[in-house]
C-alpha cells in the first residue's frame, strides 16, 4: 500500500491531467450539440465494432462443430442417395433391364416451436403447403428421425414427434433385420422402446436401430438410435429394447421433411387389397 501511495504521488501530474481531460470532454459533449453527436456516433461505432468482433469470434470458434455436423450430414445424404431411387425391373426387347425412379425428396425447414415434456409432443415447422408439405410426411434431422407431419397450413406445419403417445414407427436392428414398433412410454425424452423383437434375435447393447421399409412413411435405413438395454418381460415371448434416440428432440432446430413420391400409389393399392379381404 505504501508503494502504491508513493507511485500516485510521484505521478500525480499525469493523473491530474487525465482527470481534467475527461472533465473537459464531458463539458464539451454536454454543452455542444455537434461535438456531442460526433462523440455519440463514434462511441456507437466502437460498441458496434466490439459486438461484431465478438460475434465473429464466437462464429469462428463454432466452425469446427458446424463443420463436423455438415460432414456427418453429407455422409448421411450420400448413404441415402441410392435409397432415394426405386428399382423397377423392365422387359425391353426380351432383355431384362432396370429403371431407376426417384422415390424420395427432401425439403429443409426450421423448428420454430417444440415440446418434450407432454404426453403428446409436437414440433412446429416454418414450412407448409407453400413448400409442398402434406400430412403423413416423415421428418428427420442429420442425426436421426424426429416425427411425422400431422397438420399443415399455408406457411407452417405441425409434426407429431416420436415423443407422442400415438406415434408408432416400424424400426429394425441394423445387423439382423429384426423389427418391431418404436413407441414412447412418456418417461424420458431421450429414450423410446422397440417392442416385439423376436427372442431368437441376437440383440446386444449398443446395436444400431434404423427405420424399416414396413413403416410406409420413412425410407429404410434412417438412423433411429442405439440399444441401451433389453429385457424379456413376464408372460411375453418377445424382447423389449430401450433405445437411446440419436436425435436430441429437445434441441432439434433444422430438419428435413421427406416426400415419398410413391406413397399415394402404395396406399391406394393396400386399401384396395384390404377391401377385398374384408369383402
Amino acid at each position: 500500500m505504501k508503494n502504491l501511495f508513493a507511485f500516485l504521488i510521484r505521478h500525480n501530474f499525469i493523473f491530474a491531467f487525465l482527470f481534467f481531460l475527461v472533465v473537459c470532454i464531458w463539458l464539451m459533449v454536454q454543452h455542444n450539440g455537434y461535438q456531442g453527436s460526433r462523440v455519440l456516433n463514434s462511441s456507437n461505432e466502437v460498441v458496434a465494432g466490439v459486438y461484431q468482433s465478438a460475434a465473429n469470434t464466437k462464429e469462428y470458434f463454432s466452425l469446427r462443430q458446424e463443420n463436423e455436423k455438415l460432414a456427418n450430414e453429407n455422409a448421411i445424404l450420400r448413404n441415402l442417395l441410392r435409397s432415394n431411387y426405386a428399382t423397377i425391373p423392365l422387359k425391353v426387347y426380351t432383355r431384362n433391364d432396370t429403371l431407376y425412379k426417384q422415390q424420395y425428396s427432401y425439403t429443409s425447414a426450421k423448428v420454430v416451436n417444440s415440446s418434450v415434456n407432454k404426453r403428446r409432443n409436437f414440433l412446429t415447422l416454418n414450412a407448409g403447403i407453400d413448400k409442398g408439405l402434406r400430412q403423413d410426411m416423415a421428418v428427420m434431422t442429420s442425426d436421426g428421425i424426429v416425427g411425422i407431419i400431422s397438420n399443415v397450413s399455408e406457411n407452417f406445419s405441425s409434426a407429431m414427434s416420436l415423443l407422442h403417445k400415438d406415434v408408432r414407427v416400424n424400426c429394425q436392428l441394423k445387423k439382423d433385420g429384426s423389427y418391431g414398433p418404436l413407441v414412447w412410454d412418456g418417461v424420458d425424452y431421450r429414450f423410446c422402446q422397440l417392442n416385439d423383437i423376436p427372442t431368437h434375435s441376437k440383440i446386444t447393447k449398443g446395436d444400431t436401430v434404423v427405420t424399416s421399409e414396413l413403416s410406409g412413411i420413412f425410407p429404410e435405413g434412417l438412423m433411429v438410435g442405439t440399444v441401451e438395454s433389453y429385457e424379456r418381460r413376464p408372460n411375453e415371448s418377445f424382447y423389449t429394447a430401450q433405445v437411446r434416440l440419436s436425435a436430441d428432440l429437445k434441441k432439434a432446430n433444422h430438419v428435413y421433411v421427406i416426400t415419398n413420391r410413391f406413397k399415394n400409389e402404395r396406399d391406394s393399392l393396400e386399401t384396395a387389397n384390404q377391401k377385398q379381404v374384408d369383402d
Side-chain angles (χ1 to χ4, degrees):
M1 185 64 69
K2 183 178 180 180
N3 292 333
L4 177 60
F5 285 137
F7 175 80
L8 293 175
I9 293 172
R10 188 180 309 116
H11 301 284
N12 64 86
F13 60 91
I14 296 177
F15 294 108
F17 170 76
L18 293 176
F19 172 76
F20 287 118
L21 178 62
V22 171
V23 171
C24 291
I25 293 175
W26 181 79
L27 291 173
M28 181 179 65
V29 170
Q30 289 295 317
H31 297 87
N32 294 277
Y34 175 75
Q35 286 84 352
S37 63
R38 294 290 294 177
V39 171
L40 181 61
N41 291 336
S42 299
S43 63
N44 288 339
E45 291 179 3
V46 172
V47 172
V50 171
Y51 285 151
Q52 183 63 49
S53 299
N56 291 340
T57 303
K58 183 178 180 181
E59 183 178 0
Y60 174 79
F61 283 110
S62 65
L63 283 178
R64 180 176 179 180
Q65 181 180 359
E66 289 297 322
N67 287 336
E68 290 178 354
K69 187 174 182 180
L70 288 174
N72 292 333
E73 185 174 330
N74 287 336
I76 292 171
L77 292 178
R78 285 196 186 99
N79 291 332
L80 289 174
L81 185 59
R82 185 174 182 84
S83 64
N84 287 344
Y85 293 83
T87 304
I88 303 174
L90 293 177
K91 186 133 183 174
V92 181
Y93 302 112
T94 70
R95 177 174 62 85
N96 289 330
D97 203 348
T98 301
L99 175 68
Y100 293 94
K101 286 189 175 182
Q102 184 174 3
Q103 182 172 1
Y104 299 103
S105 60
Y106 300 82
T107 303
S108 62
K110 187 175 182 179
V111 178
V112 296
N113 192 20
S114 65
S115 64
V116 297
N117 56 359
K118 301 176 182 178
R119 197 65 184 93
R120 298 178 176 87
N121 292 291
F122 291 87
L123 303 95
T124 303
L125 313 181
N126 67 346
I129 297 174
D130 61 324
K131 296 292 183 64
L133 272 57
R134 298 292 185 271
Q135 287 184 345
D136 295 333
M137 287 185 174
V139 184
M140 64 171 287
T141 69
S142 58
D143 297 321
I145 66 172
V146 299
I148 301 170
I149 297 292
S150 56
N151 292 290
V152 291
S153 63
E154 186 64 29
N155 301 294
F156 295 92
S157 58
S158 179
M160 295 187 297
S161 81
L162 296 179
L163 311 179
H164 191 293
K165 77 177 191 68
D166 296 329
V167 170
R168 301 285 188 276
V169 179
N170 260 295
C171 299
Q172 63 186 21
L173 298 177
K174 185 176 181 180
K175 70 177 183 180
D176 70 356
S178 298
Y179 62 87
L182 186 81
V183 298
W184 186 52
D185 61 3
V187 177
D188 192 329
Y189 75 91
R190 298 172 299 173
F191 297 94
C192 281
Q193 291 67 48
L194 185 62
N195 298 328
D196 300 342
I197 299 298
T199 54
H200 60 75
S201 173
K202 297 179 180 179
I203 184 174
T204 57
K205 180 180 178 180
D207 283 349
T208 299
V209 180
V210 297
T211 53
S212 168
E213 181 68 24
L214 297 176
S215 73
I217 294 178
F218 290 92
E220 183 179 11
L222 294 183
M223 185 65 180
V224 177
T226 55
V227 174
E228 185 77 10
S229 62
Y230 62 94
E231 63 177 342
R232 183 177 178 179
R233 295 173 177 171
N235 302 321
E236 290 187 359
S237 56
F238 298 92
Y239 286 130
T240 296
Q242 184 85 337
V243 178
R244 178 182 288 273
L245 299 175
S246 57
D248 189 341
L249 297 181
K250 199 172 186 178
K251 297 180 180 179
N253 189 6
H254 295 282
V255 298
Y256 297 95
V257 182
I258 306 171
T259 302
N260 183 351
R261 298 174 182 270
F262 300 162
K263 186 178 186 305
N264 290 337
E265 180 181 348
R266 174 176 169 173
D267 289 347
S268 297
L269 181 62
E270 292 178 350
T271 300
N273 289 338
Q274 187 59 46
K275 185 177 181 181
Q276 291 178 0
V277 172
D278 294 339
D279 292 342

